[in-house]
C-alpha cells in the first residue's frame, strides 16, 4: 500500500461558469518528486492555489496525511508543513541573503513576523541559517544584498527560505522559469539534493527537468487529469503527445 502524503478527491474549481480544475484525483506519495505538467491554461497553477488554500475549491476534498484540510486556512496549512515557493522569486531584495533565511526560521522562535523585535533575538538562528545556505550552495553570499544576486541564485535562496520552514511537503511553482541552461541544471540538481527525506510536488514546464528528477507525473489538460505515470509512460501516451503537439518521433516538446 502506497504511503500517500497528499490526496485530492474530485477537486474542482469554477470561475463564473468556467471550470478551471475539473474533478482532479491526485495522490502524492511520501518521499517522491511528483510533477504537475500540462500545456498553458491546463489548470496547474490553479491546482496549486487550491492546495495551499489561496483559492477555495468549488467542490471536492484535499487530504494531507489522511486528514481533511479542505476547510483549512493558508496559515494553518503552512503550520502543518505544506510550504510553497512562488513562481516569482519571493525574497526580500533589500535584506541580506542570511537575513532572508533567518525570517523563515523565525517560526521556530515563535516570533514569526515580529519585525519590531530586537535583531539580537534572531542571532541564535544564524548557525542554522548558514547550514541551509550551505545546503543550497550560497554560504559565500551570506552577507550579500539579495537584490545583487543573479537570478538563479535568487531561486536557490527561495528554496533555502522554504526549507527554513521545515516543510514536510514542498510545493515548487515553476522553479526553473526564465532561467538559462546553466541555472536550470544547477536548480534541478539542487531540487534533487534537497528532496532527500522530503516530498516535493512541482509545477514545471521544462520537460528535461521533469524527465530527469521526477518519480511520477500527472498531466493536466483543460483542468482535468489527462494521464499519470512515470515520464516514460506519459511520454508514450498518444493523448499527451497530441496535447503537447509532440513531434513525429514521439518526444514531448517543451510546454512553454
Amino acid at each position: 500500500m502506497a504511503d500517500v502524503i497528499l490526496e485530492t478527491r474530485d477537486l474542482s474549481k469554477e470561475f463564473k461558469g468556467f471550470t478551471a480544475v475539473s474533478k482532479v484525483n491526485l495522490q502524492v506519495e511520501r518521499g517522491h518528486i511528483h510533477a504537475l505538467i500540462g500545456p498553458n491554461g491546463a489548470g496547474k497553477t490553479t491546482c496549486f492555489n487550491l492546495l495551499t488554500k489561496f483559492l477555495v475549491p468549488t467542490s471536492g476534498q484535499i487530504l494531507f496525511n489522511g486528514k481533511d484540510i479542505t476547510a483549512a486556512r493558508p496559515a494553518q496549512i503552512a503550520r502543518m508543513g505544506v510550504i510553497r515557493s512562488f513562481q516569482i522569486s519571493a525574497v526580500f531584495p533589500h535584506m541580506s541573503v542570511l537575513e532572508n533565511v533567518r525570517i523563515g526560521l523565525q517560526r521556530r522562535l515563535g516570533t514569526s513576523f515580529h519585525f519590531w523585535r530586537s535583531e539580537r533575538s534572531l542571532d541564535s538562528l544564524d548557525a542554522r541559517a548558514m547550514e541551509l545556505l550551505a545546503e543550497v550552495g550560497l554560504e559565500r553570499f551570506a552577507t550579500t544584498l539579495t537584490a545583487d544576486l543573479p537570478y538563479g541564485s535568487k531561486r536557490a535562496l527561495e528554496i533555502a527560505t522554504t526549507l527554513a520552514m521545515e516543510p514536510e511537503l514542498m510545493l515548487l511553482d515553476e522553479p526553473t522559469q526564465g532561467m538559462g541552461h546553466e541555472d536550470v541544471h544547477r536548480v534541478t540538481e539542487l531540487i534533487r539534493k534537497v528532496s532527500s527525506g522530503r516530498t516535493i510536488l512541482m509545477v514545471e514546464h521544462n520537460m528535461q527537468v521533469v524527465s530527469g528528477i521526477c518519480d511520477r507525473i500527472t498531466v493536466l489538460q483543460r483542468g482535468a487529469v489527462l494521464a499519470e505515470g512515470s515520464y516514460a509512460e506519459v511520454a508514450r501516451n498518444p493523448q499527451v503527445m497530441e496535447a503537447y503537439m509532440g513531434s513525429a518521433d514521439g518526444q514531448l516538446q517543451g510546454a512553454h
Side-chain angles (χ1 to χ4, degrees):
M1 181 92 176
D3 184 6
V4 174
I5 186 170
L6 181 77
E7 181 180 2
T8 67
R9 296 176 183 169
D10 289 337
L11 190 65
S12 300
K13 180 64 180 177
E14 293 178 15
F15 297 100
K16 295 180 180 173
F18 168 69
T19 303
V21 172
S22 177
K23 296 190 173 180
V24 168
N25 292 302
L26 190 64
Q27 288 196 331
V28 179
E29 290 186 33
R30 195 179 310 278
H32 272 193
I33 302 179
H34 192 126
L36 272 182
I37 70 170
N40 286 338
K44 305 181 296 292
T45 298
T46 304
C47 220
F48 252 38
N49 286 334
L50 292 171
L51 294 175
T52 47
K53 302 315 299 293
F54 284 48
L55 288 173
V56 178
T58 305
S59 59
Q61 282 181 295
I62 305 166
L63 291 93
F64 179 62
N65 283 326
K67 181 184 177 185
D68 190 329
I69 61 167
T70 316
R73 294 188 300 277
Q76 290 175 305
I77 286 178
R79 279 195 291 272
M80 288 174 193
V82 180
I83 308 293
R84 173 183 182 175
S85 84
F86 285 87
Q87 193 170 349
I88 312 293
S89 196
V91 289
F92 295 98
H94 301 300
M95 297 175 79
S96 75
V97 168
L98 181 77
E99 286 167 340
N100 265 280
V101 179
R102 223 163 50 173
I103 284 174
L105 289 167
Q106 280 187 57
R107 196 175 72 128
R108 297 168 60 184
L109 280 187
T111 59
S112 297
F113 312 118
H114 291 184
F115 292 105
W116 60 88
R117 286 284 292 266
S118 160
E119 199 171 288
R120 284 195 302 277
S121 72
L122 303 180
D123 287 349
S124 62
L125 300 178
D126 283 357
R128 177 61 184 145
M130 285 303 292
E131 283 175 18
L132 289 167
L133 288 177
E135 195 169 344
V136 301
L138 290 179
E139 63 270 42
R140 69 187 184 280
F141 295 111
T143 59
T144 301
L145 199 65
T146 299
D148 295 335
L149 282 180
Y151 183 68
S153 296
K154 281 181 184 157
R155 300 313 301 261
L157 174 58
E158 191 180 309
I159 289 172
T161 56
T162 305
L163 291 174
M165 303 287 284
E166 297 186 348
E168 196 174 341
L169 173 65
M170 286 178 77
L171 303 180
L172 302 180
D173 194 359
E174 299 269 21
T176 67
Q177 172 102 351
M179 286 186 184
H181 179 73
E182 198 173 299
D183 278 339
V184 167
H185 178 72
R186 187 165 155 252
V187 170
T188 303
E189 289 306 308
L190 176 56
I191 292 167
R192 191 200 305 276
K193 181 184 172 194
V194 302
S195 70
S196 177
R198 299 184 178 96
T199 306
I200 294 177
L201 177 63
M202 60 195 280
V203 166
E204 182 53 68
H205 67 279
N206 186 318
M207 290 301 107
Q208 282 185 302
V209 174
V210 170
S211 65
I213 61 172
C214 292
D215 300 291
R216 195 160 185 82
I217 296 158
T218 300
V219 186
L220 295 181
Q221 185 184 31
R222 298 190 193 97
V225 175
L226 180 66
E228 192 169 85
S230 66
Y231 180 79
E233 287 167 340
V234 300
R236 285 196 304 265
N237 185 308
Q239 289 176 291
V240 175
M241 285 155 56
E242 188 182 341
Y244 273 94
M245 294 188 292
S247 60
D249 63 3
Q251 294 297 306
L252 285 184
Q253 301 296 304
H256 290 284

